[in-house]
Amino acid sequence: MSELTGLSLAEMRAGLKAKQFSAAELAAAHNSAVEAGRELNAYTVETPELALAAAEAADRAIAGGEELKPLAGIPLGIKDLFCTEGVESTAGSNILRGFHPQYESTVSAKLKAAGAGMLGKLNMDEFAMGSSNETSAWGNVVNPWRGKGNEALVPGGSSGGSSSAVAAKLCAGATGTDTGGSIRQPAAFTGICGIKPTYGRCSRWGIVSFASSLDQAGPMARTVTDCAILLGEMAGFDPKDSTSLDLPVPDFEAALTGDLQGKRVGIPKEYTIEGIPAEIADLWSRGAEMLKDAGAEIVEVSLPHTKYALPTYYIIAPAEASSNLARYDGVRYGLREAPEGGNLIDMYEATRSAGFGDEVKRRIMIGTYVLSAGYYDAYYLKAQKVRTLIQRDFDNAWADCDLLLAPTAPSAAFAAGDKLDDPIAMYLNDVFCVPASLAGLPAMSVPAGLNADGLPLGLQLIGKALDEEGVLNAGFALERAAGFAAQPEKWW
Amino acid sequence: MSVDADTVRKIAHLARIKMPEERVEPMASELSNILDWVEQLGEVDTDGVEPLSTVIANQLRWREDKVTDGDVQDKVLANAPKAMHGFFAVPKVIE
């Protein structure tokens, strides 16, 4: 049954409908793949019984000739940042070890209501802070792709469990979240697709907060079509999230025509940064040609404040994180360290010292510093003003184009440990992803080629606010033209 | 701009993170590196620029002022490291 896991989500959906296989068979094949793939460390918790239960419900509906739910019997992985009722949810942190939410996040609830089954919770960088999945309390996630010398590579981050599991076919698709590239960069590192929708498209309710003005959920899957299908079920208005957009959800799948006639695709000249490998620059040019062949007009545009996006992000995101993570106090959930004879403050400090990892502490410290008395104007307020300018850059670019094409990441997947000692080198991974995050724009990564070492490289499409359809359709055109069919060789 | 050891101790206390003494100096240098790097924002002319308040125009909604949830004391306390008599329990606060 292992070939069932190799199907795309759309093929699984069609196969179930045509009764080529049962949902129970599909779930069992995935449960076996999850078990056989433990070396990848992609899952923190496995829930084969939940996948099977959803499959049985789907099979009953099929047998009864009922109209099938949109994701009936589709086995998915859920990033550990999503609270899942009764299933341990830790955000990759020791401070939430043993936390069993009594409620379900809106996005995962919507996927379940659409008939999907949950295979388990997917590993991630602690509190989504990282670009290599090396900060998780559950240990590093391994990329199914290997380096030229067979060395282990990182799967990107923070949605590294999601990217690894999707690429290794340990799920049909997965949820991810993206604060500054956490869906797109891991997708690029593992040769899969992922889209961060417009801020507000997917409800943040029940997702562990990192930086609330940036966090967005989105799907990760092996094809653009699969992303479109999943996003259609994840998106939608939720009164429980005050930043949720009260707008109808378009039929994303129907937008995939591959025809880009009349579309202008901008090439932002400031994204040509020093030190970007020639093969990524070449792929970017080839990508532009592919979109041109699909009917688009290619234009050069300027986003003058691009170089300030990353430092802006590293003020705003830690500032919001320091506020959001104040809730981990050892009182209501998670870890508690109460020193003998200590008072309440001692308990807070000991709990947070023991529960948070180094990168999380570093960001809380940065955030606390930039928000502290006397520094707020110089850092946080300044960053929010530069953020206005970054958003204005995009608004100006939209006068000349409908979409932007850029690389997703400045390199292919690197070896574990390579950038661990240098936080800023690690942060630079997201140099192409962060600007769209700061402006709340939809953006997706599509695998478009291999580097000289045979590792996947992604290209990124950025769209106007609410134009996920345009982004997905251009992604679809790129996917068709690139014909990316490389697979990681199975070693696990 | 550089963060010194005393500043690290002060920030750690504000953030309620116990910072072992041997971590203070390394943290000072890590924070300084990052803050020196973000200093480049000083080059950007932001005179007359409003700070961004929302990435997408979205009117905050009104809702009816009525209870929509509740009566779930067991659920609220289900994950508490320590709960007593239907309450969260913490170390003694009043001396």
Side-chain angles (χ1 to χ4, degrees):
Chain A
M1 283 196 292
S2 69
E3 66 273 19
L4 288 182
T5 59
L7 300 174
S8 71
L9 191 155
E11 289 166 342
M12 291 176 197
R13 187 180 62 177
L16 286 171
K17 209 169 180 180
K19 300 186 187 176
Q20 287 164 358
F21 44 84
S22 69
E25 286 171 322
L26 187 65
H30 279 93
N31 285 336
S32 306
V34 169
E35 204 179 314
R38 284 181 187 154
E39 260 187 275
L40 296 164
N41 202 27
Y43 284 88
T44 57
V45 176
E46 296 171 10
T47 55
E49 69 289 353
L50 295 180
L52 277 179
E56 283 160 10
D59 282 336
R60 277 195 302 274
I62 292 167
E66 295 167 33
E67 192 177 339
L68 285 188
K69 292 177 181 172
L71 296 174
I74 300 295
L76 300 177
I78 303 293
K79 187 179 182 180
D80 201 29
L81 205 62
F82 292 79
C83 287
T84 44
E85 189 172 0
V87 178
E88 190 178 10
S89 304
T90 68
S93 182
N94 274 325
I95 212 159
L96 276 173
R97 236 359 134 155
F99 174 57
H100 287 74
Q102 305 296 303
Y103 49 83
E104 184 83 24
S105 82
T106 297
V107 163
S108 56
K110 283 167 85 83
L111 289 170
K112 286 175 186 179
M118 181 169 85
L119 292 158
K121 300 301 290 288
L122 292 164
N123 205 343
M124 52 178 285
D125 277 300
E126 185 179 4
F127 284 107
M129 297 177 191
S131 305
S132 63
N133 224 122
E134 294 174 282
T135 71
S136 171
W138 299 81
N140 296 356
V141 176
V142 185
N143 193 327
W145 295 79
R146 290 284 202 178
K148 205 165 62 172
N150 206 32
E151 70 274 21
L153 302 175
V154 304
S158 69
S159 309
S162 304
S163 66
S164 176
V166 170
K169 306 188 174 75
L170 311 186
C171 57
T175 62
T177 61
D178 193 314
T179 302
S182 283
I183 286 175
R184 293 162 282 161
Q185 183 258 14
F189 275 23
T190 54
I192 64 163
C193 303
I195 179 167
K196 177 197 93 72
T198 309
Y199 182 80
R201 258 296 182 212
C202 292
S203 169
R204 292 183 296 109
W205 195 83
I207 300 175
V208 175
S209 298
F210 161 16
S212 302
S213 77
L214 296 155
D215 298 343
Q216 251 306 284
M220 300 169 77
R222 292 186 290 273
T223 71
V224 173
T225 304
D226 292 356
C227 283
I229 295 170
L230 287 171
L231 183 59
E233 301 307 322
M234 293 166 70
F237 175 61
D238 179 9
K240 287 191 283 196
D241 172 2
S242 65
T243 58
S244 172
L245 297 169
D246 191 359
L247 295 169
V249 180
D251 184 345
F252 297 120
E253 207 182 342
L256 307 180
T257 61
D259 181 5
L260 302 183
Q261 292 288 339
K263 294 280 180 191
R264 294 161 305 163
V265 176
I267 307 293
K269 63 176 186 193
E270 289 81 5
Y271 281 47
T272 311
I273 56 164
E274 241 176 280
I276 176 173
E279 51 197 2
I280 290 179
D282 290 346
L283 183 74
W284 188 13
S285 310
R286 284 207 304 282
E289 285 302 317
M290 293 176 202
L291 296 179
K292 200 171 161 189
D293 289 344
E297 182 194 339
I298 306 296
V299 295
E300 191 188 81
V301 297
S302 174
L303 302 168
H305 296 90
T306 296
K307 70 174 275 209
Y308 301 109
L310 215 46
T312 299
Y313 177 86
Y314 276 97
I315 292 172
I316 293 169
E320 294 185 13
S322 77
S323 305
N324 272 324
L325 272 58
R327 74 191 63 180
Y328 303 102
D329 55 7
V331 174
R332 290 156 297 167
Y333 32 66
L335 185 76
R336 167 182 293 197
E337 293 282 322
E340 198 56 45
N343 62 20
L344 196 58
I345 303 272
D346 296 329
M347 185 188 84
Y348 293 153
E349 293 192 343
T351 297
R352 292 163 62 81
S353 179
F356 291 135
D358 284 344
E359 180 62 20
V360 172
K361 283 181 192 160
R362 195 151 44 225
R363 296 210 200 178
I364 292 175
M365 293 283 289
I366 291 280
T368 306
Y369 182 83
V370 301
L371 291 177
S372 63
Y375 293 108
Y376 179 87
D377 286 3
Y379 289 103
Y380 188 73
L381 201 63
K382 178 80 182 180
Q384 287 288 40
K385 287 178 178 175
V386 179
R387 190 175 179 185
T388 297
L389 295 174
I390 290 165
Q391 189 180 46
R392 210 174 278 172
D393 282 355
F394 281 106
D395 286 343
N396 292 337
W398 300 138
D400 299 315
C401 65
D402 306 295
L403 291 159
L404 295 164
L405 178 72
T408 306
S411 75
F414 47 85
D418 264 11
K419 305 192 182 200
L420 219 45
D421 297 334
D422 185 351
I424 294 173
M426 187 67 89
Y427 299 168
L428 284 170
N429 265 291
D430 291 321
V431 63
F432 299 129
C433 287
V434 155
S437 295
L438 289 170
L441 303 173
M444 108 172 280
S445 181
V446 176
L450 298 173
N451 74 359
D453 294 342
L455 296 176
L457 298 171
L459 287 176
Q460 184 186 194
L461 290 148
I462 302 168
K464 298 175 189 171
L466 301 174
D467 189 23
E468 287 83 4
E469 290 163 283
V471 170
L472 285 161
N473 189 35
F476 185 67
L478 196 61
E479 177 182 55
R480 273 214 304 219
F484 184 87
Q487 303 279 335
E489 207 173 306
K490 192 164 185 261
W491 51 265
W492 56 93
Chain B
M1 159 80 239
S2 208
V3 176
D4 60 18
D6 280 345
T7 309
V8 167
R9 289 189 197 98
K10 184 182 145 212
I11 297 294
H13 180 64
L14 287 175
R16 299 290 184 263
I17 294 174
K18 191 174 168 61
M19 192 68 57
E21 207 39 48
E22 70 272 14
R23 276 294 296 148
V24 170
E25 286 294 344
M27 182 63 83
S29 116
E30 289 164 24
L31 295 191
S32 293
N33 282 341
I34 296 170
L35 290 167
D36 288 350
W37 173 68
V38 303
E39 286 284 299
Q40 57 178 297
L41 292 188
E43 299 164 14
V44 185
D45 180 3
T46 51
D47 281 354
V49 177
E50 284 294 311
L52 185 139
S53 55
T54 177
V55 288
I56 180 159
N58 190 11
Q59 198 80 39
L60 284 179
R61 298 174 295 274
W62 292 91
R63 65 166 174 80
E64 231 180 297
D65 186 15
K66 65 173 187 199
V67 177
T68 56
D69 205 353
D71 285 334
V72 288
Q73 189 186 43
D74 291 352
K75 287 186 169 192
V76 168
L77 294 174
N79 282 287
K82 202 169 181 189
M84 287 163 74
H85 318 299
F87 293 95
F88 294 110
V90 297
K92 200 164 99 177
V93 179
I94 302 161
E95 295 302 329

